[in-house]
Amino acid sequence: MLAPYLDQIKAHADPDRGEQMAAYHKVDRPYLGVANPVLNDLTKAWRQELDVPARVELAGALWQTNIHEGRVAAAKLLTQARIRPDDAAWDLLKSWLPDFDAWAVADHACMAMQKRLSADPTRLDQVEHWTTSDHMWTRRAAMVATLPWTKQNHPKPDDLMRRDRILGWAASYVPDRDWFIQKSIAWWLRELSKHDPDRVIAFLNTHGADMKPFARKEAGKFLKGQLE
């Protein structure tokens, strides 16, 4: 099943661009030099022609290639609000966590995870286990995959509880000095500040002094004049 789809990606390969991408991402894997808009168009067409089991199967095969564009395309295949049933897609996405080793691939996979968590918020019980992982990228995924809870303008009571729960995870990350972890805290807080500034102000007043300066600054980007 994999070959014809991988061939479609390879048809757009640009070796010079691939070398630039390899230098930029600094992770040792093949880079074909295919632009994201091309992958968007390809995966959109594939989603329309394949049923859910076939999409999950193809996504799994593309991920296993370890090709940068293959992994990005795998994530894009599963980045869709409505996938029914979606348990197999969620299980596949979770199985990728140990392979996360670079922000671009991880972020695309987390975007797919966002859709599955929004579809079934009870999965946050599983995500909570990620927060204590020995694997930095898995810990980071707990924040990036839950970004939908920063964006509701009119959250329901259950969503406010989930928002506070995830803020608790962020607070537990504050002592972690890893740049990517600090960045994930800042990203979550910055996005939340657009919709719920009071919670972010309270968080920063309590934990901001212990965050890395760059993360504290980014978290409060939209709160100038409102912090203590």
Side-chain angles (χ1 to χ4, degrees):
M1 181 183 189
L2 172 65
Y5 296 96
L6 187 57
D7 286 345
Q8 289 181 54
I9 297 176
K10 289 181 176 179
H12 298 275
D14 180 341
D16 290 340
R17 181 186 176 92
E19 288 184 9
Q20 294 171 11
M21 290 171 64
Y24 176 70
H25 290 293
K26 298 181 176 65
V27 176
D28 185 18
R29 64 166 40 93
Y31 295 83
L32 301 176
V34 181
N36 256 322
V38 173
L39 297 176
N40 286 338
D41 291 342
L42 289 173
T43 52
K44 180 179 179 181
W46 300 345
R47 287 198 303 265
Q48 292 172 347
E49 74 178 64
L50 298 172
D51 61 17
V52 171
R55 264 179 273 165
V56 172
E57 180 182 353
L58 177 57
L62 284 167
W63 186 268
Q64 291 304 317
T65 66
N66 194 36
I67 296 170
H68 175 83
E69 291 84 353
R71 290 195 161 182
V72 171
K76 288 179 180 294
L77 262 177
L78 302 181
T79 305
Q80 188 174 355
R82 293 188 178 183
I83 299 179
R84 296 177 181 171
D86 74 342
D87 285 342
W90 173 242
D91 287 343
L92 180 61
L93 289 165
K94 288 189 299 177
S95 77
W96 294 346
L97 284 166
D99 297 330
F100 287 2
D101 57 5
W103 65 266
V105 170
D107 284 1
H108 280 98
C110 284
M111 288 177 66
M113 291 173 173
Q114 289 174 19
K115 302 297 185 182
R116 307 280 50 84
L117 289 170
S118 295
D120 184 356
T122 66
R123 289 170 173 153
L124 289 175
D125 290 344
Q126 299 173 52
V127 177
E128 187 157 19
H129 293 291
W130 305 357
T131 65
T132 56
S133 172
D134 292 334
H135 183 227
M136 181 276 289
W137 294 101
T138 296
R139 297 197 304 277
R140 176 182 180 273
M143 302 307 298
V144 183
T146 56
L147 281 168
W149 279 279
T150 68
K151 298 176 181 179
Q152 302 115 323
N153 283 317
H154 304 289
K156 297 178 180 178
D158 283 349
D159 286 317
L160 288 175
M161 290 176 61
R162 292 168 187 134
R163 186 174 283 179
D164 287 334
R165 180 182 188 181
I166 299 163
L167 283 170
W169 303 347
S172 74
Y173 283 8
V174 168
D176 191 325
R177 310 322 283 169
D178 187 281
W179 188 91
F180 281 105
I181 294 297
Q182 291 283 315
K183 178 75 172 180
S184 73
I185 302 169
W187 187 358
W188 217 91
L189 294 172
R190 185 192 68 218
E191 293 305 306
L192 182 61
S193 72
K194 301 173 185 177
H195 306 277
D196 192 345
D198 289 347
R199 274 182 166 78
V200 178
I201 291 168
F203 185 99
L204 290 174
N205 285 340
T206 301
H207 303 287
D210 297 319
M211 294 169 63
K212 282 196 169 183
F214 87 88
R216 184 172 63 248
K217 181 178 179 180
E218 182 172 339
K221 180 178 179 180
F222 303 116
L223 297 173
K224 293 178 180 178
Q226 300 181 58
L227 297 171
E228 291 180 358

